[in-house]
Each structure stands twice: as C-alpha cells, then as structure tokens.
Amino acid sequence: DRAQLKSARKALDDARQQQVLFSAGVSQQLVNQSPLANERRLQDGRQWISYDMRVLSARAEGDTFLLPLPGADSAQAEIELVEVVRGQFRWSGRLLGELGGTFHITQSLADQYAVGAIQTAAGEFLLEAKGGTGWVTSSHNEFVLPPDGNDTLVEVPEPAKR
C-alpha cells in the first residue's frame, strides 16, 4: 500500500540522516534492566550506551558513520563490505583519519542484537547491544583471567554408564 511505502521511505531517510551509531548517557534503570548486565559488567568501568540499529541498517558499502570510542574522539568509519547470512547482517570497514583501524559489526534485526569489534592503534574495543541498550569497552575488560590466573581447560569426566 502507498502509505506503508511512504512511511518506510521516510524511516529509511531518517535513519540515513543519523550519523552516530551509539551514544553514552543511558539511564541506570535501563542499564540495570538490560539482559547484558551482570555484576562484573556493572562495575568494571565499561561505557553503557544507547545503540541505534537503524544507523547501519540504512547503510551500504562506501557509506560512512560515526563510532564514538571510550577515551577517544568519535572515529569516522567507512563501510567496505556488507554481508547477509541467515538474517544476520555484518558491516566491515575501516576507520578514517589519524586513529585508523578496522571494524566488524554484526546485527540480527529479528533479535534486536548487535555485537562488534573495533581495532585501532589505541587498542581493541568490543561492543554488544540488545534491544537498544548495550556497552562498549576495551577488550581487556571483557577477557579476564580467573583469580588464580589459570585459564587452562579442565577435563570433565564422562558420566558413569548405568
């Protein structure tokens, strides 16, 4: 129907006008309600964000958008490749300017879920978002050794047969 098509075009145009993929300043209530929140993540200094899935959804190869990184200015990112596999969309590309680097972000629109990695000269950043709320952090915060420093795999014995 014509009205739906017009509405869809307007939504796409609005999304293309948005340049920033995510922003800080999420309310503590939303953070606490996020399925991604756990005790460690609430206390390790990661930046909680409001994530807009429409920003990448409205972009194709050659398009640009802004990635605000913790402890750095926003980086302008250029999309070099868009892949679609079984309902999951993946955008890969490079960061322009002095910061340099690459990014890979995957979104599942059906699940309202996004996960990504951003590599820069300043280090690697990871992001995860669900339902519009998520986090971005240095990869050092996400991969933590246990208190004893031992990360070896422990063999679990098979259950006894009866």
Side-chain angles (χ1 to χ4, degrees):
D1 151 277
R2 239 175 171 23
Q4 287 178 324
L5 182 58
K6 187 175 180 178
S7 176
R9 282 188 179 150
K10 181 174 178 356
L12 181 62
D13 288 343
D14 289 348
R16 289 193 60 75
Q17 294 299 315
Q18 294 292 328
Q19 289 294 310
V20 181
L21 182 59
F22 56 82
S23 58
V26 178
S27 77
Q28 191 61 46
Q29 181 179 2
L30 281 177
V31 169
N32 291 340
Q33 293 172 354
S34 170
L36 305 177
N38 62 37
E39 187 175 334
R40 182 178 60 82
R41 288 179 174 170
L42 290 171
Q43 298 174 5
D44 69 3
R46 71 189 59 225
Q47 182 177 26
W48 287 88
I49 58 171
S50 175
Y51 185 91
D52 189 347
M53 294 189 76
R54 301 171 309 150
V55 172
L56 283 180
S57 298
R59 298 221 162 24
E61 294 167 1
D63 288 346
T64 61
F65 64 97
L66 294 176
L67 274 171
L69 300 175
D73 290 331
S74 290
Q76 186 170 20
E78 179 180 33
I79 299 168
E80 295 178 325
L81 179 65
V82 179
E83 301 170 281
V84 182
V85 177
R86 288 179 283 203
Q88 294 185 2
F89 296 76
R90 180 178 177 159
W91 292 263
S92 301
R94 62 190 178 106
L95 304 183
L96 306 175
E98 293 178 22
L99 192 59
T102 59
F103 71 91
H104 305 280
I105 299 172
T106 301
Q107 291 183 171
S108 171
L109 299 177
D111 297 326
Q112 291 294 295
Y113 180 74
V115 63
I118 305 146
Q119 291 81 26
T120 73
E124 180 180 41
F125 298 92
L126 303 175
L127 73 84
E128 185 177 22
K130 174 80 175 153
T133 302
W135 52 260
V136 61
T137 191
S138 165
S139 62
H140 299 293
N141 278 347
E142 193 59 13
F143 300 110
V144 180
L145 288 174
D148 67 3
N150 186 352
D151 69 343
T152 58
L153 296 176
V154 177
E155 190 172 329
V156 176
E158 291 192 31
K161 293 183 182 179
R162 293 181 185 188

